[in-house]
Amino acid sequence: AQKVTQAQTEISVVEKEDVTLDCVYETRDTTYYLFWYKQPPSGELVFLIRRNSFDEQNEISGRYSWNFQKSTSSFNFTITASQVVDSAVYFCALSEVSSNTGKLIFGQGTTLQVKP
Amino acid sequence: GAVVSQHPSWVICKSGTSVKIECRSLDFQATTMFWYRQFPKQSLMLMATSNEGSKATYEQGVEKDKFLINHASLTLSTLTVTSAHPEDSSFYICSARLISNTGELFFGEGSRLTVL
């Protein structure tokens, strides 16, 4: 069965620190998508990234970077030089292509607090 | 990116009444939409998969007679919480999948339901 685990419930850092949010997933499928979403206090989900299981290249987008390692079933997310506006709940999610349902399985979420 | 709109954004109702939440894909067609529920400080849990022109597929433990889902067109799915009770108070979020099934999902802004 598919599962997404975000072991870090809450993380608190001081502005300008780097922070890594961990995500470990389980799936029997060979083809799947992994996602990261940001949920600010207002509640809407903000899409950050989607990664295909065949693409293990790490990705960098501004202060954000993602490290996808199939060998350890991990898809970690790093924020460099964190800012107060980064404070939010971050969700990692998995979607299995073979089931053809498109539904997302979410991790428990990590609450990030960036203090000034 | 594609836009998914939910209405209403928030609603307060009395116990025993029914509430309808709409999810619309504004600039694309979606054969499949998903309804998630999120309790405070918890993750998003899939309630059901809404398929255009057919019955919704409910996740285990979700009462289909209480949470009525209708997907009458390629751009609209509705969730009706019937005979709402305080324990139904939650944040309900819909997402829609592009008809091309590229794995891309787009989320609505969410609807916060408070049952008094």
Side-chain angles (χ1 to χ4, degrees), chain B residues 18-19 21 33 39 41 43 45 48 52 61 63-64 71 78 85 89 93 95:
Chain B
S18 294
V19 175
I21 301 170
M33 292 185 175
F39 291 110
K41 296 189 183 299
S43 186
M45 299 301 296
E52 186 267 337
E63 300 174 58
K64 60 181 180 181
H71 195 153
T78 61
H85 290 283
S89 298
I93 306 176
S95 70

Side-chain angles (χ1 to χ4, degrees), chain A residues 68-111:
Chain A
F68 176 30
Q69 292 196 350
K70 289 180 74 171
S71 60
T72 56
S73 296
S74 65
F75 187 43
N76 297 336
F77 172 34
T78 297
I79 301 175
T80 304
S82 60
Q83 300 176 1
V84 173
V85 293
D86 295 327
S87 298
V89 181
Y90 291 85
F91 290 99
C92 179
L94 166 73
S95 175
E96 294 177 331
V97 174
S98 65
S99 66
N100 200 31
T101 62
K103 65 182 182 181
L104 288 182
I105 303 300
F106 285 86
Q108 302 91 320
T110 297
T111 300

Side-chain angles (χ1 to χ4, degrees), chain A residues 3-5 11 20 32 34 47 50 59 66 69 74 77 82 87 96 99 103 105 107 109-110:
Chain A
K3 184 180 180 181
V4 177
T5 301
I11 300 176
T20 295
Y32 50 89
L34 294 166
F47 169 81
R50 179 186 66 149
E59 180 152 340
W66 291 268
Q69 292 196 350
S74 65
F77 172 34
S82 60
S87 298
E96 294 177 331
S99 66
K103 65 182 182 181
I105 303 300
T110 297

Side-chain angles (χ1 to χ4, degrees), chain B residues 24-58:
Chain B
R24 293 181 184 272
S25 54
L26 298 186
D27 51 0
F28 68 99
Q29 292 184 327
T31 54
T32 305
M33 292 185 175
F34 304 91
W35 286 97
Y36 290 84
R37 179 168 54 184
Q38 184 181 29
F39 291 110
K41 296 189 183 299
Q42 294 189 24
S43 186
L44 285 79
M45 299 301 296
L46 180 67
M47 299 175 65
T49 302
S50 170
N51 300 299
E52 186 267 337
S54 64
K55 290 183 178 181
T57 303
Y58 289 81

Side-chain angles (χ1 to χ4, degrees), chain A residues 39-56:
Chain A
Q39 188 177 42
S42 53
E44 80 276 15
L45 282 177
V46 178
F47 169 81
L48 296 178
I49 191 171
R50 179 186 66 149
R51 174 64 67 199
N52 183 300
S53 55
F54 293 113
D55 182 2
E56 285 193 74

Side-chain angles (χ1 to χ4, degrees), chain B residues 91-106:
Chain B
F91 193 56
Y92 293 88
I93 306 176
C94 74
S95 70
R97 184 172 70 168
L98 282 173
I99 198 169
S100 62
N101 189 24
T102 60
E104 289 191 76
L105 291 173
F106 302 93

